[in-house]
Amino acid sequence: MPATSQRVLGLAAMLVTVTIWASLFISLRQASQSVLTSGDIALLRFLPAALLFGWLSRHRIRHIISVPKRYLFAIAFGAGLPFYLLAATGMQFAPVADGASLIPGILPLFVSAIAWGVYGESLSVGRRLGIGLIVIGIGAFLWHSLFFSPWSVTQGHLILLAASISWAWFTIGVRVTGLNAAEAGAVLAISAVLLLPVGAMSGLVSFNLLHAPLGELGYHVLAQGLGVGIIANYSYAFAIRRLGAEMSAAIGAFTPVVAALIAIPVFSETVSLLTIVAMALIVLGAVLASDGIKWRRTQTKSGPQAA
């Protein structure tokens, strides 16, 4: 397929992804006010994807397990159950605009930092400028929460930063391994489902599905299970393969703008001038930080894999 067509398809996939990601932060906020527990939402989110992507990838098991385990670990934990629990916990304390800014908005910062620190990739002047703007935007959020907000908001911001670091590892894992969207989705979702019993035994998650209204269950099946668990996971991995990790992460940085606009009528949230400035710095920085890194390809037993 011509490079232009590949790029158009990648951009279309990221448009779908950003729309769903914005809806994700809305649903996470709604879930914090619901009788459904984090375990319930995680099950509704990951089980449909595990069944679908597992079935689609059933003939690729040998190929998947031939990938270096550290990369599979990055995919499984980076955007799997640990990431979800971090994001869900952070969103209990922070406004929607903050959560959407501090997870996908600063993703390019952590992706670039990992690429530079772990893989030894060079950073261009434009990338360094973009990273600087992102850091200033993060600083604005943290400064406001430390001095003008309750401590719980600061805790929420710190947890959301941890979630963004986790997601950066997932982004790089997908790019370096070269797994296609269905294969990456299978690794992510199946591992999350398998970790749920562990989380229940350790007390990290609990379940209350039987006591939840059918309307809430239906909403989260559509928003989390179909939207985030299947469509967004597939479209984001698809975009990474065609646009690269950096460009995909940069486009994802526009999520806070969309999420904030949705949260205003849905939750009657107000967006302060400082929040608008911080969001603008993060989005602009993410765009500047998106000039391509030439990711090295990793070798597996099946041969060279796309990076």
Side-chain angles (χ1 to χ4, degrees), residues 189-267:
I190 292 174
S191 65
V193 172
L194 294 177
L195 281 174
L196 275 172
V198 178
M201 289 186 291
S202 64
L204 291 175
V205 298
S206 59
F207 299 95
N208 193 38
L209 279 173
L210 297 180
H211 300 90
L214 289 178
E216 283 193 33
L217 288 175
Y219 168 77
H220 287 290
V221 167
L222 292 176
Q224 296 279 352
L226 178 61
V228 179
I230 294 178
I231 298 176
N233 277 343
Y234 186 92
S235 60
Y236 186 52
F238 181 93
I240 291 172
R241 293 274 290 171
R242 282 152 182 79
L243 300 177
E246 308 307 303
M247 179 62 73
S248 299
I251 297 174
F254 286 91
T255 301
V257 178
V258 179
L261 291 175
I262 297 174
I264 291 173
V266 173
F267 299 116

Side-chain angles (χ1 to χ4, degrees), residues 134-152:
I134 293 173
V135 170
I136 294 172
I138 297 171
F141 274 117
L142 295 180
W143 179 79
H144 186 267
S145 65
L146 281 171
F147 294 102
F148 299 98
S149 301
W151 170 242
S152 60

Side-chain angles (χ1 to χ4, degrees), residues 8-150:
V8 170
L9 288 174
L11 290 172
M14 276 309 302
L15 177 62
V16 172
T17 304
V18 167
T19 303
I20 295 175
W21 281 353
S23 301
L24 162 65
F25 292 99
I26 300 298
S27 66
L28 285 176
R29 171 50 61 84
Q30 289 177 326
S32 68
Q33 304 167 359
S34 166
V35 298
L36 291 172
T37 67
S38 57
D40 296 330
I41 303 298
L43 183 63
L44 295 175
R45 173 176 178 173
F46 292 112
L47 183 58
L51 296 173
L52 176 62
F53 293 137
W55 183 82
L56 291 175
S57 304
R58 65 192 184 283
H59 300 305
R60 302 284 289 172
I61 295 177
R62 288 187 179 181
H63 170 65
I64 293 172
I65 63 176
S66 70
V67 172
K69 300 304 179 286
R70 62 185 181 276
Y71 299 132
L72 293 180
F73 181 89
I75 294 173
F77 283 77
L81 184 61
F83 163 79
Y84 170 77
L85 293 177
L86 286 170
T89 303
M91 287 303 300
Q92 292 178 14
F93 306 111
V96 170
D98 296 18
S101 297
L102 293 174
I103 295 185
I106 62 174
L107 187 60
L109 168 63
F110 294 128
V111 170
S112 297
I114 293 170
W116 174 72
V118 177
Y119 296 98
E121 304 290 351
S122 61
L123 302 180
S124 68
V125 174
R127 181 179 300 277
R128 292 176 184 176
L129 176 59
I131 289 174
L133 292 176
I134 293 173
V135 170
I136 294 172
I138 297 171
F141 274 117
L142 295 180
W143 179 79
H144 186 267
S145 65
L146 281 171
F147 294 102
F148 299 98
S149 301

